[in-house]
Amino acid sequence: MIQVRSVSKTFHLPHEVKALVDVSCRVGAAEVVVIIGPSGSGKSTLLRCLNRLEYADVGNILIDGVDILDERTDINQVRTEVGMVFQSFNLFPHKSVEDNLILAQRVVRKRSKADCMKKAHMLLEKVGIKDKARVFPAQLSGGQQQRVAIARALAMDPKVMLFDEPTSALDPEMVGEVLDVMKALAKDGMTMVVVSHEMGFAREVADRVIFMDQGAIVEEGAPNRIFDRAQNPRTQSFLSQIL
């Protein structure tokens, strides 16, 4: 579903930073891949490159066979197939929860209002907040807002879901409710790439864990191997400080 081939990315202001260095990886359909690593390791930059919120300098990124770095590619069309959930919830504050879920369906998918409403309410029930359809984001807890953000992304029927540290802005007691929704998505067979510091989630849900440092993939493998039998000294050092 996702192929990343020799991708590099350098930021030049205010000084040169090599955010990604010759990164290659693959994500299969229905696979859950969790990317871990220290701050500044390139995790979020890699994720943002997967829907071209950041434009890689060199390499190829294929989403379901389409190279999104090819200038002939309609990136807006590709993005309809790639849902993304951010650290901050990015909901429209002046629109109700229901309207947040309906807008893109109407504008991008060209669905009827009735179909949009049906989809919105089904997804709100799926993420456990069907009773919040008519309220505004400011009336919700952080965990509820993040669940709305997940539902909004799912409303587009994406082939891939990207999560950029989706629980990092939440109070600890709200983290579980968001992770439960993500676990349910994984069980339903959604292809997911998750940047996260939630090691328990990675161990329980991931099919594969990627450890990044200094813009490169240092080590990857099944969760049990990475967490219990990491081979690279840098991976071992990182995990020894957080586990």
Side-chain angles (χ1 to χ4, degrees):
M1 185 61 74
I2 300 173
Q3 298 180 61
V4 178
R5 301 172 179 167
S6 302
V7 164
S8 294
K9 170 70 178 177
T10 300
F11 294 107
H12 295 281
L13 294 175
H15 54 271
E16 185 172 284
V17 175
K18 293 183 178 180
L20 297 175
V21 183
D22 195 27
V23 171
S24 296
C25 60
R26 299 167 66 95
V27 180
E31 188 177 20
V32 178
V33 173
V34 177
I35 305 175
I36 64 172
S39 297
S41 61
K43 309 183 300 295
S44 292
T45 300
L46 175 58
L47 201 72
R48 290 171 65 84
C49 283
L50 295 182
N51 66 356
R52 223 170 77 184
L53 288 176
E54 296 289 354
Y55 203 106
D57 299 329
V58 297
N60 302 95
I61 299 175
L62 282 74
I63 306 292
D64 199 20
V66 177
D67 189 347
I68 66 172
L69 299 184
D70 189 323
E71 61 184 17
R72 297 166 295 182
T73 296
D74 182 350
I75 189 59
N76 290 324
Q77 179 61 39
V78 174
R79 285 176 179 149
T80 64
E81 310 296 342
V82 181
M84 187 156 185
V85 177
F86 300 87
Q87 297 178 41
S88 54
F89 319 119
N90 289 0
L91 300 174
F92 297 113
H94 62 293
K95 292 185 176 294
S96 69
V97 165
E98 182 179 75
D99 287 340
N100 265 277
L101 268 67
I102 287 172
L103 181 61
Q105 294 188 69
R106 292 278 278 167
V107 174
V108 179
R109 293 296 193 195
K110 309 298 184 185
R111 293 172 181 157
S112 69
K113 185 173 182 179
D115 286 344
C116 291
M117 294 275 286
K118 181 178 180 181
K119 185 81 171 179
H121 285 267
M122 181 272 289
L123 287 169
L124 289 175
E125 183 171 15
K126 184 182 181 72
V127 300
I129 48 174
K130 187 177 182 180
D131 61 325
K132 303 297 184 182
R134 300 296 177 87
V135 307
F136 289 82
Q139 298 171 275
L140 300 175
S141 69
Q144 290 171 332
Q145 289 187 61
Q146 194 63 292
R147 284 187 278 166
V148 173
I150 293 172
R152 183 175 64 175
L154 292 173
M156 300 297 287
D157 295 314
K159 296 177 180 177
V160 175
M161 284 285 286
L162 309 177
F163 295 86
D164 188 7
E165 299 189 28
T167 60
S168 65
L170 301 179
D171 292 335
E173 62 189 13
M174 297 176 184
V175 169
E177 62 192 52
V178 173
L179 294 181
D180 285 344
V181 171
M182 294 171 65
K183 291 174 186 177
L185 286 180
K187 289 181 180 178
D188 288 344
M190 175 61 72
T191 305
M192 298 165 59
V193 183
V194 184
V195 170
S196 181
H197 296 293
E198 300 291 339
M199 299 301 151
F201 172 83
R203 185 186 286 272
E204 179 182 351
V205 179
D207 296 302
R208 191 154 40 92
V209 173
I210 292 175
F211 173 69
M212 293 186 68
D213 188 38
Q214 297 184 347
I217 293 177
V218 174
E219 190 168 1
E220 62 179 297
N224 287 344
R225 193 189 71 74
I226 294 297
F227 289 119
D228 299 333
R229 301 184 303 280
Q231 303 298 305
N232 190 284
R234 182 66 187 96
T235 313
Q236 295 170 354
S237 173
F238 173 78
L239 292 174
S240 70
Q241 296 178 50
I242 63 172
L243 293 180

